[in-house]
Amino acid sequence: MWGGRFASGPAEIMEEINASIGFDKRLAPQDIRGSLAHVAMLGRTGILPPADVAAIEAGLKTVQAEIEAGSFTFARALEDIHMNVESRLREIVGPAAGRLHTARSRNDQVATDMRLWVRDTLDALDAQAADLQRALAEAALRHAGTVMPGFTHLQSAQPVTFGHHLLAYVEMLGRDRGRFRDARARLNECPLGAAALAGTSFPIDRHDTARALGFDRPTANSLDSVADRDFALEALAAAAIAAVHLSRFAEEIVIWTSAQFGFVRLSDRFTTGSSIMPQKRNPDAAELVRAKAGRVIGALSGLLIVMKGLPLAYSKDMQEDKEGTFDALQTLSLCLAAMAGMVRDLEPVPEVLKQAAGAGYATATDLADWLVRELGLPFRDAHHVTGRLVGLASARGVGLEALTLPEMQAEEPRITDAVYAVLGVENSVASRTSYGGTAPGNVRAQAERWLEALGGEPA
Ligand code: ARG
């Protein structure tokens, strides 16, 4: 393809380090789409005669069919997807194939292909994240009133509802989807026609190709068009944040399914056994989602490091954008699917959750709030009285509700037996009616709001 001024071919090791076909062959659909848009524009602008345009279009469709059928032979000697497609096109249509690359370079070609791939992938990730949100919101609605311990420092803090906990992840995923959409909106400019770096002397119509490929407009600076990969970085950053969210939830599933917690049961479908310990039910899928955040974050830092300090415009360094981006976004897709499956199969164990919700003096804040509300104590004093009562209960190894009224009155004489009403976990969550709070009514309303917004059929 570029051998005109070369007397010998590349060294074996040169070919090996240079070739990207092993991983960029997945850009074949995008590459052919881009070429079809380009050649149609070359025809419309009169740069190529109709006969050549027709031959190239038909040839590209044949190549596409061969790739889809799996009969296409990818050759490492042809370096990358762009030259593999073009070389096969020449075999099919003859010399006219050589005219396809008029007013184009592999530099704007690959930038276009990658934007198309990342754009398609962001759309698919958005749909998958919406499906996971739907699974979570449906479970939240079923468990709007199921009490569980809420934690800070992984110590029992205050009772919350299981539905409220799930909806926390629905909110996170909502922001993740916002980041996918923001990244998509910014990447949606077409680099095709920037050519190698400086634009072209042919009378091309970049607005035409941009439109044909579903971009909002052509990119405005030819150097920037071929030199930046910030669209991939943004997609990876959004993916890394989403992967971190999933990883935290995965870790909670690992903790909750342990025999020590026993908060939830995970179906056989998402559990594995041990070859030596018959009693084991291991949450491998959750552990892998927890771990896979590592490679998504790795891809982001890898590409940031590739791009830093690169002078404008294109350098071959940028070929290193691909494997990490492909792997990371595909990994996130797998994690979203696995999480949606687990959420749909996850069954909380209400008795265990309720018992745990009351453990660790989780309603101590309710007692302190009662002393403030009913007796007019300053919060700091109420905190002190409550602390003494927790100390007393803890020394006896019982819950707050097991203290007698005289025992409580020894600390604060004005306490009445009305106090027992706030010491139960159900009362505690029911009282948290502030906006965004865990009261079952709130949780139901939020879950319904999300389900309505998410609408539609599962992805
Ligand atoms: N395979 C190359 C890449 O992924 C295509 C662009 C090659 N351009 C060049 N001037 N060598 O970046």
Side-chain angles (χ1 to χ4, degrees):
M1 292 286 170
W2 39 254
R5 62 161 296 188
F6 288 78
S8 79
E12 159 75 15
I13 197 71
M14 171 63 204
E15 192 182 296
E16 190 177 339
I17 195 172
N18 202 31
S20 54
I21 188 62
F23 45 86
D24 68 14
K25 62 174 162 222
R26 85 161 62 204
L27 293 175
Q30 289 76 16
D31 198 63
I32 290 170
R33 246 170 103 190
S35 288
L36 284 169
H38 182 66
V39 74
M41 179 277 292
L42 292 178
R44 261 192 296 275
T45 50
I47 298 169
L48 288 194
D52 286 345
V53 173
I56 292 170
E57 280 177 348
L60 283 169
K61 283 175 187 155
T62 305
V63 175
Q64 181 167 22
E66 289 177 359
I67 292 174
E68 279 165 13
S71 62
F72 189 95
T73 322
F74 296 97
R76 195 179 77 172
L78 292 166
E79 267 187 60
D80 56 24
I81 185 61
H82 324 295
M83 297 208 291
N84 270 269
V85 169
E86 201 185 319
S87 158
R88 180 69 188 126
L89 184 68
R90 185 183 290 264
E91 284 171 10
I92 298 168
V93 311
R99 300 194 192 279
L100 168 61
H101 215 51
T102 309
R104 184 178 79 170
S105 150
R106 276 190 292 156
N107 296 349
D108 58 335
Q109 194 179 351
V110 74
T112 305
D113 292 3
M114 272 303 272
R115 282 189 194 232
L116 288 172
W117 189 88
V118 171
R119 191 179 73 184
D120 289 349
T121 306
L122 284 173
D123 289 346
L125 288 172
D126 182 59
Q128 280 191 283
D131 183 52
L132 175 54
Q133 283 184 301
R134 212 173 288 122
L136 286 162
E138 280 163 2
L141 196 54
R142 284 197 301 278
H143 296 290
T146 307
V147 290
M148 69 174 283
F151 297 93
T152 60
H153 313 264
L154 198 57
Q155 312 281 324
S156 256
Q158 294 173 357
V160 295
T161 73
F162 190 72
H164 195 55
H165 196 111
L166 297 184
L167 286 180
Y169 287 102
V170 175
E171 295 291 331
M172 293 180 226
L173 286 160
R175 292 191 296 277
D176 291 331
R177 294 180 58 205
R179 276 180 282 273
F180 296 154
R181 284 196 296 265
D182 288 349
R184 185 200 202 280
R186 248 186 309 281
L187 80 64
N188 207 30
E189 294 184 344
C190 187
L192 195 60
L197 75 166
T200 175
S201 56
F202 289 97
I204 59 171
D205 183 350
R206 294 192 56 210
H207 293 274
D208 179 88
T209 41
R211 214 176 304 118
L213 293 170
F215 287 106
D216 295 330
R217 63 191 80 85
T219 49
N221 180 292
S222 61
L223 291 168
D224 172 50
S225 311
V226 296
D228 208 355
R229 292 293 181 268
D230 61 349
F231 65 90
L233 289 171
E234 259 193 272
L236 288 173
I241 296 171
V244 166
H245 287 151
L246 297 187
S247 160
R248 296 181 70 174
F249 188 30
E251 163 68 351
E252 296 194 315
I253 293 176
V254 171
I255 295 175
W256 292 349
T257 52
S258 69
Q260 288 73 12
F261 272 73
F263 282 9
V264 299
R265 274 196 213 96
L266 195 52
S267 67
D268 288 355
R269 304 186 331 131
F270 285 97
T271 313
T272 61
S274 155
S275 52
I276 182 165
M277 297 166 283
Q279 84 283 11
K280 294 273 274 185
R281 286 178 59 80
N282 296 328
D284 291 35
E287 293 168 83
L288 287 163
V289 170
R290 182 174 63 183
K292 280 180 191 291
R295 43 206 280 190
V296 182
I297 296 164
L300 170 62
S301 19
L303 185 55
L304 283 167
I305 294 164
V306 165
M307 296 307 295
K308 82 160 282 295
L310 266 194
L312 304 190
Y314 178 85
S315 295
K316 197 60 172 263
D317 306 53
M318 288 159 67
Q319 180 165 286
E320 288 292 310
D321 64 347
K322 292 181 189 59
E323 285 163 288
T325 303
F326 294 155
D327 180 78
L329 299 190
Q330 188 174 290
T331 295
L332 181 61
S333 165
L334 183 59
C335 290
L336 285 165
M339 285 309 264
M342 279 188 275
V343 168
R344 292 202 161 95
D345 278 17
L346 203 68
E347 269 310 320
V349 187
E351 324 78 74
V352 175
L353 286 170
K354 186 174 172 184
Q355 227 229 326
Y361 305 102
T363 54
T365 314
D366 297 280
L367 173 54
D369 287 350
W370 186 89
L371 295 170
V372 170
R373 207 171 46 238
E374 303 298 325
L375 307 184
L377 260 60
F379 184 78
R380 287 293 162 212
D381 298 351
H383 187 286
H384 180 78
V385 170
T386 305
R388 310 252 324 155
L389 291 173
V390 166
L392 180 64
S394 153
R396 299 223 331 251
V398 297
L400 281 172
E401 68 287 350
L403 295 179
T404 64
L405 192 56
E407 280 171 327
M408 293 205 219
Q409 286 169 340
E411 288 301 333
E412 169 48 62
R414 289 176 296 155
I415 295 180
T416 67
D417 61 6
V419 76
Y420 289 101
V422 301
L423 296 181
V425 289
E426 316 267 4
N427 294 325
S428 170
V429 294
S431 73
R432 300 282 195 263
T433 53
S434 56
Y435 184 78
T438 195
N442 280 5
V443 172
R444 219 166 282 119
Q446 291 287 345
E448 277 161 0
R449 173 179 71 84
W450 270 111
L451 287 171
E452 191 177 300
L454 289 162
E457 287 301 296

